[in-house]
């Protein structure tokens, strides 16, 4: 994206999410001149895409999607790529949060774990921004097919849940008195790598209409459960061989089991995201049975 188009997109973001009253207000927020704001907005105002003062016609703005290099899927309606971009940013942030949480766990790094926990504030803020953006879009076009965008709120909530599970991993490092045994860590690393792949594939399926990725996600889910069984067996074996002279040692194994469960839940959420993508694009209703119960 060129610098000019990046600036125009930033202007549109301000209009959409901060409700400015004047071009001076837009310029001040972005640290640019009012004259430059006027120059960039003039073509959109002339065509009725941006209305004074100041609103974006999301239906008509679809005509300009290619200006920002956005991929518009075959059944996507105008304006949705704005919120999709927020979701893409949130997914990237959550994956970084998960990575930092795991690295803190692997290295028994309490400072890194604290950094990962602080990232959750940003995750929660992103979720709230997406929720409010969807509410605003629906309020502007209550009878249009943009009303289907409520599904974006669901995906944001799913990502927030993944952020919460990352917090469980980081909290282990902060609170537990012992680093993870190398044998168990090997299983946790494999679960982490599988979880990240599942999240990324599920979000790509939703954001880019790559529904064929569902098969990949389901294969990874089977792998996740295979590793999970081995991890829990390893934890159980070590527990049986350990003398619990100290209380901290017993809570250590309980917390480890919870970490294993956390990775499984991240995998389940990824399946929910990809199922939502199928429903969103293909109009195939999702099952009402939660993923973790379908395996019973």
């Amino acid at each position: 994206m060129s610098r000019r188009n990046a600036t125009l997109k930033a202007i549109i973001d301000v209009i959409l999410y901060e409700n400015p009253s004047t071009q001076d207000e837009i310029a001040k927020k972005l640290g640019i001149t009012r004259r430059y704001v006027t120059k960039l907005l003039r073509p959109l105002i002339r065509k009725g895409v941006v209305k004074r003062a100041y609103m974006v016609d999301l239906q008509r703005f679809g005509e300009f999607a290619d200006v920002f290099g956005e991929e518009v899927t075959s059944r996507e309606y105008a304006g949705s790529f704005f919120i999709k971009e927020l979701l893409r940013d949130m997914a990237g942030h959550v994956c970084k949060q998960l990575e930092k949480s795991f690295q803190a766990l692997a290295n028994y790094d309490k400072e890194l774990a604290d950094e990962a926990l602080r990232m959750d504030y940003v995750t929660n803020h992103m979720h709230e921004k997406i929720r409010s953006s969807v509410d605003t879009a629906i309020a502007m076009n209550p009878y249009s097919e943009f009303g289907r965008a409520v599904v974006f709120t669901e995906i944001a909530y799913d990502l927030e849940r993944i952020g919460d599970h990352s917090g469980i991993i980081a909290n282990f490092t902060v609170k537990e008195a012992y680093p993870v045994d190398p044998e168990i860590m090997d299983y946790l690393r494999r679960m982490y790598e599988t979880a990240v792949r599942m999240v990324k594939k599920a979000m790509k399926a939703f954001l880019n209409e790559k529904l064929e990725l569902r098969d990949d996600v389901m294969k990874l889910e089977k792998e996740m459960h295979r590793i999970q069984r081995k991890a829990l067996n390893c934890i159980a074996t070590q527990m049986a061989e350990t003398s619990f002279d100290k209380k901290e040692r017993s809570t250590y194994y309980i917390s480890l089991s919870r970490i294993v469960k956390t990775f499984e839940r991240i995998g389940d959420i990824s399946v929910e995201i990809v199922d939502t993508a199928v429903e969103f694009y293909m109009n195939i209703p999702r099952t009402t049975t939660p993923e973790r119960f379908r395996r019973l």
Side-chain angles (χ1 to χ4, degrees), residues 5-65:
N5 287 343
T7 303
L8 177 56
K9 186 182 182 306
I11 292 171
I12 297 298
D13 284 345
V14 170
I15 293 173
L16 279 172
Y17 306 122
E18 301 187 38
N19 303 313
S21 300
T22 65
Q23 290 189 8
D24 283 327
E25 187 177 346
I26 297 171
K28 184 177 180 180
K29 286 181 179 294
L30 296 177
I32 57 179
T33 66
R34 180 187 181 280
R35 184 175 181 180
Y36 193 41
V37 172
T38 301
K39 179 180 178 181
L40 294 183
L41 282 180
R42 187 178 292 118
L44 300 185
I45 293 173
R46 188 184 307 122
K47 292 180 178 292
V49 175
V50 174
K51 304 178 186 298
R52 301 178 185 272
Y54 279 96
M55 295 179 64
V56 176
D57 187 329
L58 294 176
Q59 298 286 357
R60 296 200 61 188
F61 197 82
E63 303 167 18
F64 292 83

Side-chain angles (χ1 to χ4, degrees), residues 90 123-133 156 160:
M90 186 177 181
T123 300
N124 294 337
H125 174 73
M126 287 179 157
H127 173 230
E128 180 58 28
K129 182 176 181 180
I130 292 170
R131 187 196 63 77
S132 62
S133 298
E160 184 190 36

